[in-house]
């Protein structure tokens, strides 16, 4: 049923660009773990949110093959937003650079290589959209670091992907069809993301909502009344 619903929603929603379709197809053909990439419907959702938000700066924690960076790029032509994306895996760094070079994104997309925690520490200014889609055990630390450094603008939002961890966040019995070879990986992710969800719920600085979309999407913003001067 879920696949049928997704197919229907994709068919009646805004389509993604030819370029995004090409990156998505290339990733699926080239990587065994391509299921970690955002779906076409999610790509359309990200573009919709960015076009509505009109960000001047976007931060990605986790780049994979550059599909989401391409979505942010296409959605911010009017604002010419700066897009900073972080990646550790050399294989994914090479894949992302291929995407950026092929589609000429390097004028506004900057790839920072290395551990995300180290890269976040080097960042200054504020971002209107922050997309977190990296190692799941790092989510809590990354978001806390972002908030502590006040990298999120007063009207911005953080979007965290895969918060359901294929259902393992909810219960280790939630997804009986999850293949045995990846079940331990997602089970450990589920434990980390349960802690992350508690952090989001209890941090007095922010409001958060976990949406039953895709593999679970958490949105985070400053609480009403929080007002930080934009630094850029």
């Amino acid at each position: 049923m879920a696949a049928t619903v997704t197919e229907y929603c994709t068919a009646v929603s805004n389509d993604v660009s030819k370029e995004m379709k090409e990156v998505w197809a290339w990733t699926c053909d080239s990587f065994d773990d391509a299921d970690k990439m955002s779906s076409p419907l999610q790509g359309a959702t990200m573009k919709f949110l960015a076009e509505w938000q009109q960000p001047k700066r976007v931060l990605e924690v986790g780049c994979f093959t550059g599909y989401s960076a391409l979505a942010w790029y296409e959605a911010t032509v009017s604002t010419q937003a700066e897009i900073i994306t972080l990646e550790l895996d050399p294989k994914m760094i090479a894949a992302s650079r291929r995407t950026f070079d092929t589609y000429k994104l390097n004028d506004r997309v900057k790839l920072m290589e290395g551990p995300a925690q180290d890269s976040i520490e080097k960042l200054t200014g504020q971002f209107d959209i922050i997309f977190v889609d990296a190692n799941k055990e790092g989510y809590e630390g990354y978001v806390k670091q972002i908030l502590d450094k006040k990298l999120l603008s007063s009207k911005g939002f953080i979007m965290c992907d895969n918060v359901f961890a294929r259902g393992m966040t909810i219960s280790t019995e939630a997804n009986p069809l999850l293949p045995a070879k990846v079940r331990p990986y997602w089970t450990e992710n589920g434990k980390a993301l349960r802690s992350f969800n508690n952090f989001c719920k209890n941090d007095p600085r922010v409001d958060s909502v976990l949406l039953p979309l895709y593999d679970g999407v958490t949105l985070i913003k400053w609480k009403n009344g929080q007002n930080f001067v934009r630094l850029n």
Side-chain angles (χ1 to χ4, degrees):
M1 181 63 182
T4 302
V5 170
T6 298
E7 183 178 347
Y8 177 77
C9 291
T10 301
V12 299
S13 297
N14 283 359
D15 203 359
V16 296
S17 67
K18 175 180 70 72
E19 291 79 7
M20 288 181 67
K21 290 178 181 177
E22 289 174 355
V23 174
W24 199 84
W26 176 77
T27 302
C28 290
D29 290 341
S30 303
F31 297 93
D32 292 336
D33 57 351
D35 65 318
K36 293 180 179 179
M37 177 176 52
S38 300
S39 69
L41 181 60
Q42 189 168 359
T45 303
M46 293 159 66
K47 289 189 66 174
F48 182 97
L49 291 172
E51 288 167 357
W52 170 59
Q53 178 76 354
Q54 292 288 288
K56 294 182 179 179
R57 297 183 85 203
V58 177
L59 171 64
E60 284 194 325
V61 183
C63 189
F64 206 53
T65 62
Y67 180 78
S68 53
L70 176 58
W72 303 127
Y73 186 94
E74 291 182 351
T76 58
V77 171
S78 63
T79 61
Q80 289 292 289
E82 177 189 23
I83 301 161
I84 297 178
T85 183
L86 316 182
E87 184 56 59
L88 173 63
D89 186 337
K91 179 176 67 173
M92 307 323 299
I93 289 170
S96 297
R97 291 205 181 280
R98 175 193 178 276
T99 297
F100 302 159
D101 292 343
T102 300
Y103 298 101
K104 298 179 172 56
L105 310 186
N106 291 301
D107 60 321
R108 291 197 286 117
V109 177
K110 176 183 178 182
L111 176 59
M112 295 180 67
E113 302 180 16
Q117 184 177 10
D118 296 345
S119 296
I120 292 170
E121 194 58 36
K122 297 174 184 176
L123 295 173
T124 59
Q126 294 180 330
F127 297 86
D128 304 301
I129 296 176
I130 300 176
F131 182 51
V132 181
D133 189 10
N135 55 309
K136 311 313 170 192
E137 74 277 6
Y139 275 30
E140 183 173 339
Y142 300 150
V143 171
K144 183 178 186 302
Q145 188 179 14
I146 286 164
L147 297 175
D148 289 347
K149 287 178 62 66
K150 297 184 174 60
L151 295 175
L152 179 65
S153 67
S154 61
K155 300 298 183 181
F157 66 86
I158 303 172
M159 179 179 182
C160 302
D161 198 15
N162 299 121
V163 180
F164 287 163
R166 304 297 193 265
M168 297 299 101
T169 303
I170 300 166
S171 166
T172 55
E173 306 302 320
N175 188 352
L177 299 180
L178 188 66
K181 66 178 181 180
V182 298
R183 180 172 289 275
Y185 168 78
W186 286 110
T187 297
E188 290 303 309
N189 285 338
K191 293 176 183 177
L193 290 167
R194 281 195 292 275
S195 175
F196 170 68
N197 290 337
N198 289 332
F199 165 78
C200 293
K201 175 73 173 178
N202 295 315
D203 190 308
R205 300 172 292 180
V206 299
D207 293 318
S208 67
V209 58
L210 172 54
L211 300 173
L213 302 174
Y214 314 116
D215 190 26
V217 173
T218 294
L219 297 177
I220 302 167
K221 68 174 183 66
W222 294 114
K223 277 193 180 296
N224 290 335
Q226 297 276 5
N227 186 19
F228 298 102
V229 177
R230 181 183 289 276
L231 302 177
N232 60 306

